[in-house]
Amino acid sequence: MSDTPRQLRLFWAFLVLLTVIRLCLAANVPLTPDEAYYWVWSRNLQPGYLDHPFMVALWIRVGTWIAGETPLGVRLLGPLSVLPGSWALYHAARRLLPSCSWPKSGFGAVLLLNATLMLGLGAVTMTPDTPLLFFITLFLYTLSRAVDPELKPRATLPWWIGSAVLLGLAFDSKYTAVLICAGLGGAVLATGRLRRQFGPWLAIPVLFLAMSPVILWNAYHHWASFIRQGGRAGDWHPARAVQFMGELIGGQIGLATPLIFVLFAVGLWVCLKRNRLLAWLALVPMVVFVTHAFGDRVQPNWPAVIYPVFALAALETGWRVRWPVISGLALTLIVCIQAVFSPLHLVPHRDPVLRLTGGWETFSRQLALKAKAEGATALAAEDYALASRLAFTQDILPVIGTDTRWQLFRLSPAMSAKAVMVEEQRHGTVPEKSATLCREVRAQPIRCFTVSPPSFTIGVQLPGRS
């Protein structure tokens, strides 16, 4: 069965349209505090950071070099990466889904992934998941060539090396990529044909070479990031497992959208019998996340690393994907319209996008002008996300970060300045001589902050947009 030119043109024209829409959203939705934090990283590139590897900072640096220090610049590579990622997933389906009709399987896998909120909104924001998903989709393509039974073992060597490099780059994006590495290792060991080839074993040192910048940075900084992220695995609270498991499942129903979630779940079950490679790639991460739910909360975005695999596995069901795709795109469109235009005047606390992004420009300017009028020469904040958002949003006063995490950056040396300390007001009490300033949307307060009188504060000066 072959693609007709008309099918291909319509398919790629639709993906280009989605890319244009995502670029418009990226330009018009204010940054979240975490995105501003990653933007600070991009002004100080290094091989690793306390929270995540370096790739998100590198992508932001490239985007802002092209489109400036703007929300579009910060997010630029996210929407653009979906097109080559979709191309890779489309062609991966040809070899990884031998029991499905191709090219329809390629169309279905790409449309399913693009219809999820995880990618639909995730491509509009710039987080470590954005480059992670891109490199995982490229990895699935090179892996599909590496395991192709029609190729001689020697001919697969470049594809194994490419797979190792892409998995390493995925690890350089987010640590959860190591779960896909573990799944691939299990698949190789369980498959005699792959186990006897030289390619998978040659890929191991190449993988570590691609991961080495992050590993070396951690070694030089007393394994700070590995300890921070790996320390979460030691928690064990089985009494709360039902709550955490419910949150894990509910989060995936929301981010995959309900009908696509059903396809993903049934596809994984079918792959256990029909497609062992995809089963290994998906099951190992899922077992880790489910096990983690017995001790602590699994954040909804953590399973993003498996979504490209799930999009392929869903096609093994043989079910039609039309209505899951339509429903997913419709839900994503509704969320995007609400994020930009807010046609439903929800209470800010019930609108997650508005709660994260609304009112920052006005709040930051008012805060800086108030502080300057009181004789302050800087703004200071201990919360890293708040400090980063203030640094990105206003250029009236420099921002000092007092969190110890800034000591892991190659930023300006610790400085002392007459600064007002800004802290989120959590219990409704305001210290004596301090003031309250609220971040508001439509005259409704979203978050209120305590602003102390100017005093000499020691911290690290964060880079600004100028």
Side-chain angles (χ1 to χ4, degrees):
M1 181 178 180
S2 61
D3 302 56
T4 66
R6 183 172 181 273
Q7 283 179 315
L8 282 173
R9 285 197 299 270
L10 288 175
F11 177 68
W12 293 110
F14 177 67
L15 291 179
V16 169
L17 176 62
L18 285 181
T19 300
V20 172
I21 293 173
R22 287 166 179 156
L23 287 170
C24 292
L25 286 169
N28 288 282
V29 175
L31 295 188
T32 65
D34 278 350
E35 287 179 294
Y37 179 45
Y38 303 139
W39 167 80
V40 173
W41 291 10
S42 75
R43 303 299 301 276
N44 180 242
L45 289 177
Q46 54 189 48
Y49 301 89
L50 178 63
D51 307 87
H52 296 288
F54 65 87
M55 192 62 69
V56 66
L58 181 60
W59 277 37
I60 293 173
R61 184 64 167 265
V62 174
T64 52
W65 178 73
I66 296 171
E69 308 289 338
T70 63
L72 177 60
V74 170
R75 297 164 171 157
L76 181 64
L77 294 194
L80 295 181
S81 69
V82 177
L83 280 177
S86 295
W87 176 91
L89 193 65
Y90 173 83
H91 287 281
R94 180 179 187 177
R95 294 173 178 84
L96 294 179
L97 299 172
S99 61
C100 301
S101 62
W102 187 84
K104 287 186 177 180
S105 58
F107 292 151
V110 171
L111 292 174
L112 281 173
L113 185 59
N114 274 270
T116 63
L117 275 174
M118 182 76 80
L119 184 72
L121 287 184
V124 175
T125 58
M126 183 53 71
T127 69
D129 292 312
T130 311
L132 172 71
L133 282 169
F134 172 70
F135 290 118
I136 290 297
T137 53
L138 294 189
F139 155 76
L140 288 173
Y141 170 68
T142 57
L143 179 66
S144 73
R145 301 298 301 267
V147 301
D148 190 344
E150 297 181 3
L151 294 180
K152 294 181 178 179
R154 182 175 297 180
T156 65
L157 286 179
W159 298 109
W160 280 110
I161 292 173
S163 298
V165 170
L166 290 168
L167 267 184
L169 293 174
F171 178 85
D172 293 338
S173 303
K174 195 171 183 178
Y175 295 131
T176 50
V178 77
L179 302 178
I180 297 294
C181 298
L184 178 59
V188 169
L189 292 175
T191 308
R193 179 178 65 87
L194 299 180
R195 189 173 61 246
R196 290 188 293 269
Q197 292 182 13
F198 180 61
W201 306 105
L202 177 63
I204 294 174
V206 176
L207 172 64
F208 277 97
L209 183 63
M211 296 162 55
S212 62
V214 178
I215 296 174
L216 291 175
W217 182 90
N218 271 275
Y220 185 76
H221 291 86
H222 309 289
W223 310 104
S225 186
F226 287 171
I227 291 173
R228 176 179 175 81
Q229 297 297 342
R232 300 177 177 183
D235 295 328
W236 185 251
H237 301 104
R240 300 185 63 186
V242 174
Q243 173 195 342
F244 293 147
M245 196 67 66
E247 292 176 355
L248 171 60
I249 296 173
Q252 299 321 297
I253 292 174
L255 288 179
T257 70
L259 293 183
I260 294 178
F261 173 82
V262 172
L263 263 180
F264 283 0
V266 177
L268 177 58
W269 176 259
V270 173
C271 282
L272 292 174
K273 303 176 181 178
R274 187 182 298 175
N275 195 320
R276 296 295 178 85
L277 176 60
L278 291 181
W280 273 103
L281 293 177
L283 199 59
V284 170
M286 280 306 306
V287 168
V288 171
F289 292 135
V290 169
T291 303
H292 185 85
F294 280 86
D296 199 359
R297 181 171 287 108
V298 176
Q299 297 301 323
N301 63 304
W302 289 0
V305 66
I306 327 174
Y307 271 50
V309 180
F310 278 151
L312 292 171
L315 275 297
E316 288 283 21
T317 63
W319 296 359
R320 299 174 70 91
V321 302
R322 176 183 300 175
W323 289 111
V325 168
I326 290 174
S327 65
L329 290 173
L331 287 173
T332 303
L333 180 62
I334 291 170
V335 173
C336 290
I337 291 174
Q338 179 64 23
V340 177
F341 302 107
S342 298
L344 301 176
H345 284 199
L346 301 175
V347 176
H349 293 284
R350 296 185 179 275
D351 188 328
V353 177
L354 200 62
R355 187 171 66 247
L356 287 173
T357 65
W360 279 109
E361 297 283 345
T362 301
F363 167 77
S364 299
R365 183 170 179 80
Q366 287 179 346
L367 172 64
L369 290 174
K370 174 181 172 61
K372 192 172 184 179
E374 294 177 356
T377 58
L379 303 175
E382 182 176 2
D383 180 77
Y384 68 90
L386 173 59
S388 301
R389 200 64 181 83
L390 293 174
F392 183 86
T393 308
Q394 59 82 40
D395 55 7
I396 298 171
L397 291 176
V399 177
I400 296 176
T402 61
D403 193 310
T404 55
R405 73 181 56 221
W406 299 117
Q407 297 172 10
L408 298 175
F409 288 69
R410 295 191 302 266
L411 292 171
S412 302
M415 61 172 291
S416 175
K418 191 177 182 182
V420 297
M421 178 64 71
V422 187
E423 299 176 287
E424 184 172 347
Q425 196 177 104
R426 299 186 182 279
H427 304 293
T429 58
V430 181
E432 188 178 355
K433 297 183 180 180
S434 296
T436 296
L437 190 63
C438 296
R439 181 164 60 91
E440 298 181 346
V441 173
R442 297 192 295 268
Q444 297 184 45
I446 301 177
R447 289 283 189 274
C448 290
F449 298 84
T450 298
V451 183
S452 67
S455 62
F456 283 98
T457 304
I458 298 177
V460 176
Q461 181 176 338
L462 305 189
R465 280 199 289 178
S466 56

